[in-house]
Amino acid sequence: MTIPASPASATVTFTNPAGLYDPAPNGYSHIASVHPGTRLVFIAGQGGETADGALAADFRQQVRQALANLCTALAAAGAAPRHVAKLTVLIVDHSHERLAVFGAELAQAFGDGPKPACTLIPVPRLALDGMLFEIEAVAALPQAAG
């Protein structure tokens, strides 16, 4: 099954080929194809810190804040969640419960429709004490007219 990212964005197509399990319940697609004539935007790993550097102890709050931070960074680059082709997610003490939290929060932040290709990496520690979640993104936008 091949699905364009959105009618307004013909820069990325998501595909979930027959013969592979359906990844939609876990919040991702198997393949993201970036079309010619696109501008790639790379967003550094975003954690759950607020603008003043505060970091909640709760995993869900960190995921929600990290996704908000990601959306802020995307907007600063002229992008939106629909432009994201690939995510990389790092989770401290990964579990199925934490995967479910991430999936629910990603659906809330990214809305309906296909989700980007995604790799989740369980890790023992992240950059800051108490940091439990980090997410980075690659977005594909139409090439700016020049």
Side-chain angles (χ1 to χ4, degrees), residues 33-59:
S33 300
V34 177
H35 300 273
T38 60
R39 176 173 62 100
L40 295 178
V41 176
F42 297 84
I43 307 294
Q46 299 298 307
E49 312 82 39
T50 59
D52 64 0
L55 187 64
D58 179 69
F59 180 75

Side-chain angles (χ1 to χ4, degrees), residues 2 4 15 38-39 45-46 83-84 89 91 116 134 143 146:
T2 301
T15 307
T38 60
R39 176 173 62 100
Q46 299 298 307
H83 295 113
V84 174
V89 174
I91 296 179
E134 186 172 359
Q143 189 74 310

